[in-house]
Amino acid sequence: MLHGKHFQNGRKTLVIVFQNAAKPLNEAIPNIYLNKISQAEVSEMHEQYTWIKFAKTCSKVDYLFVKDHFSSVYGWYIMDEGKFIYEELNKQLTMFIKKNKYKRVISFGSSKGGTGALLYGLINPFITDVFSLVPQINVATFINKLCPNEKSLFFHNSLEFEQKVNNLFYSSDLYNDYSQTNINFYTGSQDIQFNNLLEYRKFLKDKNIVSKLYLNRSDEKHTRLVNQYTNFIYSFLEDLIEEEDRRTNRLTYQISEECFILK
């Protein structure tokens, strides 16, 4: 179940990179649904790992690029054809972290990768830091906009399961073993789930879980909020790795204790 690429630089800190949905995969969904694209071809599409460029320029940590080949296409690291898989995948992540004796673990990703980074940051006690970019909080809502005709790929025609997926981050069971994780979000006001994220942060606050929000004030939407602002993302991630904030401070204004805006 735990598949991907492990880049070893002999470090005791690990960055787990949860993959976003690349454009070829999204465009392939209708043909995957019609069985016109084989699972071998889908698997090849998953081999195009994002954020490799950062890993090649920053060797201060090890990296685990996690492959999200579930539900015939991908599953937000949550589900596989109408079944939850995150508990089992979390066990395998824990075994991997223990086996490699990592002392500190950062989860990172954008879009569905941001969802994965957040989810495992909440449930895995070995993950110390989260950097979640433009995540989907209400995953089923997003799927119903992305591919309403093919959503059975993910939910297996179960409305009950679909609703459970949509409300996953509001499930009390998710927080039973939560430890104090450093949670950081990056988004923009034009992102498709901007308001969902704001509501979720209120939910976290009510649970006394602190999260920081880095807000982009531009008119850019989902994908461009990420690919047009890699300078900030790389700078923040490098600060997170080095446990400092000097790069981030040059690129943001702090407007409250837990909220920052990009300059």
Side-chain angles (χ1 to χ4, degrees), residues 1-241:
M1 181 177 287
L2 180 60
H3 302 290
K5 288 191 178 295
H6 186 202
F7 290 83
Q8 295 175 277
N9 295 311
R11 308 295 185 174
K12 291 300 180 182
T13 297
L14 174 71
V15 174
I16 304 175
V17 185
F18 295 89
Q19 298 296 290
N20 59 290
K23 186 177 179 180
L25 271 169
N26 284 341
E27 292 178 343
I29 287 175
N31 283 328
I32 294 171
Y33 177 73
L34 295 171
N35 292 316
K36 292 182 178 179
I37 295 179
S38 71
Q39 286 299 294
E41 292 173 293
V42 175
S43 183
E44 286 184 10
M45 294 181 195
H46 279 283
E47 297 296 332
Q48 304 301 313
Y49 295 101
T50 52
W51 306 107
I52 289 286
K53 183 177 179 181
F54 180 83
K56 290 180 177 178
T57 58
C58 181
S59 60
K60 301 169 186 175
V61 293
D62 287 5
Y63 298 88
L64 175 64
F65 288 80
V66 186
K67 191 173 179 179
D68 184 25
H69 188 184
F70 303 106
S71 291
S72 301
V73 52
Y74 46 75
W76 275 263
Y77 303 92
I78 293 173
M79 57 191 161
D80 189 1
E81 295 184 338
K83 298 175 292 184
F84 283 120
I85 60 167
Y86 64 89
E87 290 180 338
E88 180 58 34
L89 185 54
N90 188 47
K91 289 178 183 177
Q92 294 187 18
L93 270 175
T94 295
M95 290 172 60
F96 178 89
I97 293 166
K98 286 183 173 180
K99 178 182 177 181
N100 289 280
K101 299 180 180 179
Y102 288 113
K103 302 297 184 184
R104 186 166 169 249
V105 182
I106 299 167
S107 63
F108 167 68
S110 66
S111 192
K112 74 177 180 66
T115 303
L118 172 62
L119 174 62
Y120 292 92
L122 293 172
I123 66 175
N124 192 297
F126 292 95
I127 292 177
T128 54
D129 303 87
V130 172
F131 188 22
S132 174
L133 319 179
V134 292
Q136 284 90 54
I137 300 301
N138 300 105
V139 172
T141 299
F142 186 82
I143 290 173
N144 276 291
K145 291 182 179 180
L146 175 69
C147 53
N149 297 325
E150 300 85 16
K151 67 178 185 177
S152 62
L153 286 173
F154 308 96
F155 306 129
H156 213 58
N157 294 314
S158 170
L159 181 59
E160 180 183 3
F161 180 70
E162 180 178 338
Q163 292 171 339
K164 286 181 178 179
V165 169
N166 214 36
N167 296 321
L168 177 63
F169 283 102
Y170 292 93
S171 169
S172 58
D173 292 343
L174 209 63
Y175 303 89
N176 288 340
D177 299 316
Y178 174 76
S179 56
Q180 293 301 313
T181 308
N182 174 28
I183 301 175
N184 303 279
F185 294 109
Y186 164 72
T187 190
S189 59
Q190 299 303 306
D191 185 57
I192 190 171
Q193 290 213 351
F194 174 69
N195 290 326
N196 305 68
L197 179 57
L198 295 186
E199 286 298 318
Y200 177 63
R201 290 190 70 241
K202 291 179 184 177
F203 171 82
L204 290 179
K205 189 172 184 179
D206 288 342
K207 285 186 166 291
N208 295 315
I209 297 175
V210 175
S211 67
K212 291 182 179 178
L213 177 67
Y214 292 84
L215 178 62
N216 190 317
R217 298 173 293 164
S218 76
D219 292 331
E220 301 292 4
K221 297 184 179 180
H222 191 69
T223 301
R224 288 178 62 85
L225 282 167
V226 176
N227 62 28
Q228 297 299 308
Y229 290 88
T230 53
N231 180 47
F232 164 74
I233 294 166
Y234 286 178
S235 296
F236 186 91
L237 188 53
E238 197 161 359
D239 272 353
L240 200 56
I241 288 167

